[in-house]
């Protein structure tokens, strides 16, 4: 018999009927004799509702109290699912992150898991009980409740699977697997039977929220077999493959990711001396603002240059403040910013063995009159920053250019 860790997302537990549906699914696995650990999200919309309440009281809510607040959503669903399982004659017990002892660091609202105590869960499993755990939360050394960042229940699921050495971690959601791109944006997006772990890591980090990036990192580090499937439809879903051989016959591009979370800042007319990049970016880093794409132009005849970079949209006003100050110190001409940008990325291990991928990408965008503002590449991805208005057009153009709408041969 197997041990499965199953994680159900917000839509999957969004109403009493849906929680009853999840109970039926879990009960069916248990009836086959499998050991079951179930991780749940809050009901869909609940975490946003709680965040909104906090924002009505404090402009920047206290991080410790924010975690006490937002972790309550998951406590509701785990209790309800355990009741639904008991109603069906299956023994079950629900636990908050602190009760299981999911120990994290103390970085409130974005804590990292450090260790998990499996003893209590093992005892329950040995007694034939279904273990139901609140996703997204843990506890720090001092007993404070912490949360793992938006989408963090995925990470709870994978971390429990790693700690319990589960047969598979199954992420049940409202789509039936990982697609070539968000199926809500491109109708013809295709479900992938498999995606390599490296590609999934890039897709998640570049904006595909189907899996939280830390969950993918955890799965890679601890070699957890990970699958994304639908709560509502039968099917094999998508396996996140850790098998290097899978790279052999990969298409050039496996998927397209995008996000609207970034904003762009430019400092114009900075004297182009050695060390200028550091003088601009060090004060930004000192404010804990992460910088993503960076472009420095070649010097103009007067020995000045323009320097552009992107940050998270939430950090734009702070970053602009810092940059205005730096501009004054360096004698730069002006600072300009734009938060109506988007990043579109093509991802694929197949790029390693194919030339011209970048030029195909750029010409497809050019044909649709989409101007590229910035470009960044790595071994298996190319990202461009464009005007946000053209995001969906760009994703569709690239999806068609790289023939991603064609059904894949079964692997
Ligand atoms: P859950 O609440 O179950 O965790 P999420 O909303 O976090 O669900 O993630 C599932 C959503 O991710 C889908 O509804 C889909 O719109 C979106 N998504 C983005 N990119 C992709 C992709 N490449 N494949 C599948 N879904 C994607
Ligand atoms: N409920 C949390 C969120 O909405 C965690 C999760 O669903 O994964 O971000
Ligand atoms: Mg999610």
């Amino acid at each position: 018999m197997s041990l499965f860790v199953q994680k159900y997302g917000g839509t999957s537990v969004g109403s009493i009927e849906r929680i009853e549906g999840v109970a039926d699914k879990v009960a069916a696995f248990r009836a086959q004799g499998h050991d079951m650990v179930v991780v749940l999200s809050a009901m869909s919309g609940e975490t946003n509702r709680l965040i909104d309440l906090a924002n009505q009281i404090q402009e920047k809510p206290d991080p410790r109290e924010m975690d006490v607040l937002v972790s309550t959503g998951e406590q509701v669903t785990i209790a309800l699912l355990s009741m639904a399982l008991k109603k069906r004659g299956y023994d079950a017990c629900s636990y908050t992150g602190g009760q299981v002892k999911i120990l994290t660091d103390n970085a409130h609202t974005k804590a990292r898991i450090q260790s998990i105590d499996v003893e209590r869960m093992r005892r329950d499993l040995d007694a034939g009980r279904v273990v139901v755990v609140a996703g997204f939360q843990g506890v720090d050394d001092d007993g404070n409740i912490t949360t793992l960042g938006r989408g963090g229940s995925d990470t709870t699921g994978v971390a429990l699977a790693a700690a319990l050495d589960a047969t598979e971690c199954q992420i049940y959601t409202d789509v039936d697997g990982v697609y070539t791109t968000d199926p809500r944006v491109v109708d013809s997006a295709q479900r992938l039977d498999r995606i390599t772990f490296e590609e999934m890591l890039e897709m998640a980090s570049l904006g595909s929220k189907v899996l939280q990036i830390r969950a993918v990192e955890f799965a890679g580090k601890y070699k957890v077999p990970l699958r994304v499937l639908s709560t509502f439809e039968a099917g094999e879903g998508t396996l996140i493959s850790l098998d290097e051989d899978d790279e052999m016959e990969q298409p050039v591009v496996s998927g397209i990711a995008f996000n609207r979370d970034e904003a762009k800042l430019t400092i114009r007319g900075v004297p182009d001396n050695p060390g200028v990049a550091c003088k601009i970016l060090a004060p930004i880093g000192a404010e804990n603002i992460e910088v993503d794409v960076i472009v420095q132009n070649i010097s103009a005849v007067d020995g000045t240059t323009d320097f552009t970079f992107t940050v998270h949209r939430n950090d734009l006003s702070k970053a602009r403040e810092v940059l205005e100050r730096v501009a004054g110190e360096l004698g730069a001409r002006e600072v300009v910013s734009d938060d109506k940008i988007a990043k579109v990325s093509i991802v694929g291990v197949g790029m390693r063995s194919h030339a011209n991928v970048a030029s195909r990408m750029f010409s497809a965008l050019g044909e649709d009159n989409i101007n590229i503002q910035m470009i960044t590449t790595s071994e298996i991805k190319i990202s461009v920053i464009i005007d946000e208005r053209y995001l969906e057009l760009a994703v569709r153009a690239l999806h068609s250019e790289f023939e991603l709408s064609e059904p894949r041969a079964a692997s």
Side-chain angles (χ1 to χ4, degrees):
M1 285 304 120
S2 305
L3 164 56
F4 290 115
V5 176
Q6 297 187 334
K7 176 259 169 177
Y8 291 88
T11 320
S12 310
V13 294
S15 65
I16 292 297
E17 293 70 37
R18 290 196 168 165
I19 290 175
E20 300 265 21
V22 169
D24 285 336
K25 279 180 88 87
V26 174
F29 274 86
R30 186 71 200 108
Q32 288 168 23
H34 301 303
D35 285 336
M36 299 300 296
V37 174
V38 182
V39 174
L40 298 185
S41 290
M43 288 178 159
S44 50
E46 178 63 3
T47 310
N48 287 343
R49 188 184 74 85
L50 294 167
I51 293 172
D52 184 53
L53 290 179
N55 287 332
Q56 289 180 43
I57 293 195
Q58 272 188 307
E59 199 184 325
K60 278 203 158 183
D62 179 86
R64 182 190 180 280
E65 303 312 324
M66 191 68 160
D67 278 350
V68 174
L69 176 70
V70 295
S71 61
T72 59
E74 274 72 10
Q75 196 168 331
V76 171
T77 50
I78 54 168
L80 292 172
L81 180 71
S82 298
M83 291 175 195
L85 284 165
K86 287 182 190 202
K87 184 169 82 176
R88 285 162 177 74
Y90 292 87
D91 197 5
C93 196
S94 66
Y95 296 105
T96 63
Q99 287 174 315
V100 172
K101 209 115 203 254
I102 297 177
L103 193 71
T104 71
D105 60 20
N106 60 5
H108 284 292
T109 75
K110 48 178 184 300
R112 283 182 181 267
I113 296 177
Q114 290 177 331
S115 67
I116 295 177
D117 187 350
V118 294
E119 212 176 298
R120 195 160 178 179
M121 287 187 285
R122 284 258 181 247
R123 250 186 288 138
D124 277 350
L125 293 171
D126 290 346
R129 234 166 260 140
V130 177
V131 177
V132 184
V133 181
F136 176 55
Q137 56 181 264
V139 70
D140 73 7
D141 261 337
D142 293 326
N144 298 301
I145 296 173
T146 54
T147 63
L148 310 177
R150 299 306 305 268
S153 300
D154 296 338
T155 303
T156 308
V158 178
L160 288 181
L164 291 160
D165 199 18
T167 314
E168 191 167 89
C169 178
Q170 302 177 332
I171 306 287
Y172 283 92
T173 183
D174 55 6
V175 282
D176 63 348
V178 178
Y179 277 67
T180 47
T181 192
D182 190 337
R184 298 187 201 287
V185 170
V186 179
D187 285 342
S188 59
Q190 299 288 313
R191 185 181 59 79
L192 303 165
D193 288 330
R194 287 165 170 259
I195 182 166
T196 70
F197 157 75
E198 265 183 297
E199 287 169 328
M200 194 63 239
L201 203 57
E202 289 285 7
M203 292 281 282
S205 79
L206 295 166
S208 299
K209 68 164 186 171
V210 62
L211 281 176
Q212 198 201 35
I213 180 162
R214 285 189 186 167
V216 188
E217 283 169 357
F218 236 99
K221 189 164 171 197
Y222 296 100
K223 306 262 174 287
V224 178
L226 179 60
R227 192 181 287 278
V228 176
L229 322 95
S230 165
T231 307
F232 309 108
E233 289 165 46
E236 293 295 298
T238 301
L239 181 70
I240 318 304
S241 169
L242 292 160
D243 188 350
E244 297 285 316
D245 290 348
D246 269 13
E247 293 189 14
M248 302 296 284
E249 289 167 48
Q250 287 289 330
V252 184
V253 169
S254 297
I256 299 170
F258 52 86
N259 83 50
R260 296 178 170 90
D261 296 341
E262 292 186 29
K264 188 177 78 166
L265 294 123
T266 301
I267 175 165
R268 290 224 173 100
V270 217
D272 191 9
N273 303 322
V276 69
C278 173
K279 283 187 189 132
I280 295 168
L281 295 181
I284 297 281
E287 293 291 336
N288 270 327
I289 299 172
E290 275 182 42
V291 170
D292 184 25
V293 187
I294 304 172
V295 171
Q296 183 181 338
N297 286 2
I298 53 163
S299 276
V301 273
D302 64 356
T304 65
T305 188
D306 296 344
F307 192 95
T308 306
F309 57 93
T310 65
V311 297
H312 196 283
R313 263 185 214 186
N314 295 345
D315 292 328
L316 175 61
S317 60
K318 181 85 216 166
R320 187 161 177 145
E321 227 173 79
V322 175
L323 205 57
E324 302 271 6
R325 196 184 72 223
V326 170
E329 287 162 13
L330 296 179
R333 194 163 1 109
E334 63 173 343
V335 171
V336 288
S337 60
D338 181 2
D339 66 351
K340 299 279 179 295
I341 58 160
K343 184 164 79 172
V344 184
S345 311
I346 56 174
V347 174
V349 290
M351 276 183 216
R352 288 191 179 121
S353 47
H354 288 84
N356 296 330
V357 185
S359 56
R360 276 178 73 185
M361 179 182 196
F362 303 154
S363 77
L365 295 172
E367 274 163 31
D368 274 325
N369 270 324
I370 300 168
N371 188 40
I372 300 172
Q373 303 178 7
M374 300 168 88
I375 302 169
T376 167
T377 68
S378 75
E379 208 188 358
I380 65 162
K381 71 122 205 278
I382 304 171
S383 303
V384 294
I385 301 288
I386 59 170
D387 185 325
E388 187 186 0
R389 273 180 299 175
Y390 304 121
L391 174 60
E392 297 194 354
L393 180 63
V395 174
R396 288 201 196 97
L398 295 171
H399 201 263
S400 134
E401 171 61 31
F402 292 100
E403 291 150 16
L404 295 176
S405 302
E406 321 288 322
R408 299 295 171 89
S411 53

